[in-house]
Amino acid sequence: MNIFQIEVLAAIVTHGTFSDAAMHLEISQSAVSRAIASLEAELGVPLFIRGRSGARLTPVGERVIVHAHQMLDIRELIDYEVNLEKGLYKSRLRISSFRSAATHLLPANIARFRNRFPYVEVVLVELDPAGVEQSLREGQTDIGLISLPRSEEFRTVEITRDEYVVLLPKSEPPPPKDLSWEALSAYSFILFNYAECTSAVREHWEKWGQSFEVAYVIKEDSTIVSMVAQGLGAAILPRLAAMPIPDDVYVRSLPVRLDRVIGAATLASTPPAPAVKMFLDLLGS
């Protein structure tokens, strides 16, 4: 028994006659007849009842065709895995990301990907969001991790939601677990000089009719966390950007939750390569 005989068997069942099956498979009718004759001889049972109206399965043929379809499905899976490996072999996957996502989201996923596809070279570059977008446009990056939403020039998939948290210096008594806008107004804030995060925080405050006093505007998130620990003010940061958070800093939620949606982006005009598709599937899982 071979896969060609199984394909011929399935084609006859699908198309109803030996001649139509031959046309579908683009072989001669005699080749179809020989394949079925040899298969029936090997199995020792007739699979078809031939007649002027076509060919119909015998009772045992009806049971055999179920397993034949399963064999063809397995063959398709084998072809998929082989073709995937050919597309991935000695290929390169280029990823760009902003720092906190590169630090906390990507390493474990890259390790999982490399364990499964060891022949793919993975390149990771840290950029600011504008740099991630530009690297995608210029074809320097295959996948970019970036906050969502983005413009329609990018194909995106959501990966996770990163909560903005309030960082407060140690105090006695500790701040309440549930902060009010009034309680937050007592603090001066160390603001993150990072356009998208800064805008999100300001817009959130304005949406709820609130205002806050800014004491410092700092570019590095680690510097902000250290300043909060020294009692120089409070801060609002995405949790991933604040990590690792020292023990002498309190972490609280905002009165109304605010999230940074993190996603993976590819250029919409460029069909994804096999390595890109597999890494996106891994991120989505």
Side-chain angles (χ1 to χ4, degrees), residues 5-281:
Q5 293 170 322
I6 300 301
E7 289 174 340
V8 171
L9 172 64
I12 296 170
V13 173
T14 299
H15 297 281
T17 66
F18 280 42
S19 58
D20 288 343
M23 290 180 61
H24 172 73
L25 295 171
E26 297 182 345
I27 58 177
S28 66
Q29 184 172 338
S30 60
V32 169
S33 298
R34 286 195 300 270
I36 295 302
S38 62
L39 181 59
E40 290 177 324
E42 180 179 346
L43 297 177
V45 294
L47 298 175
F48 288 101
I49 300 172
R50 285 82 163 171
R52 291 186 176 180
S53 60
R56 58 186 178 88
L57 289 168
T58 62
V60 67
E62 291 177 351
R63 300 197 299 273
V64 167
I65 193 62
V66 174
H67 303 294
H69 284 310
Q70 293 174 343
M71 294 170 69
L72 293 175
D73 289 342
I74 292 172
R75 170 60 186 270
E76 284 190 11
L77 293 174
I78 292 172
D79 288 342
Y80 170 79
E81 294 295 342
V82 170
N83 291 330
L84 176 62
E85 185 68 14
K86 289 177 180 178
L88 292 170
Y89 188 72
K90 291 187 177 180
S91 61
R92 173 183 289 187
L93 176 63
R94 301 165 301 170
I95 307 169
S96 60
S97 172
F98 57 92
R99 187 204 63 81
S100 57
T103 301
H104 300 293
L105 298 180
L106 283 175
N109 284 300
I110 291 174
R112 289 167 59 199
F113 183 81
R114 289 297 308 275
N115 286 336
R116 185 175 177 187
F117 306 110
Y119 300 114
V120 180
E121 178 187 359
V122 180
V123 179
L124 174 59
V125 179
E126 289 186 14
L127 300 169
D128 59 33
V132 172
E133 284 194 344
Q134 193 62 25
S135 68
L136 286 167
R137 290 190 190 98
E138 295 178 353
Q140 299 173 351
T141 295
D142 302 306
I143 299 174
L145 261 62
I146 201 163
S147 59
L148 303 181
R150 307 317 282 194
S151 68
E152 292 183 356
E153 65 182 311
F154 300 108
R155 184 187 302 109
T156 61
V157 58
E158 181 179 328
I159 298 172
T160 190
R161 290 179 176 250
D162 187 17
E163 180 187 7
Y164 281 84
V165 293
V166 182
L167 306 180
L168 301 172
K170 284 290 183 179
S171 62
E172 292 296 339
K177 293 293 184 181
D178 297 320
L179 290 174
S180 65
W181 292 113
E182 183 180 5
L184 282 176
S185 66
Y187 293 92
S188 58
F189 285 88
I190 306 165
L191 203 59
F192 195 14
N193 185 18
Y194 192 73
E196 293 188 2
C197 290
T198 304
S199 298
V201 170
R202 289 189 181 276
E203 289 169 5
H204 191 65
W205 245 252
E206 292 173 1
K207 178 181 178 180
W208 295 99
Q210 305 297 319
S211 61
F212 58 88
E213 179 184 344
V214 177
Y216 303 94
V217 179
I218 303 297
K219 182 178 180 180
E220 297 296 332
D221 44 34
S222 58
T223 304
I224 293 174
V225 176
S226 296
M227 293 177 71
V228 173
Q230 293 300 318
L232 296 174
I236 306 101
L237 287 175
R239 187 180 292 274
L240 291 180
M243 293 171 59
I245 302 172
D247 294 337
D248 52 356
V249 170
Y250 290 117
V251 182
R252 298 289 187 267
S253 294
L254 288 166
V256 180
R257 182 177 174 122
L258 174 64
D259 287 329
R260 173 174 64 169
V261 181
I262 300 175
T266 57
L267 200 61
S269 59
T270 303
V276 174
K277 292 172 66 175
M278 296 309 298
F279 194 78
L280 289 175
D281 288 346

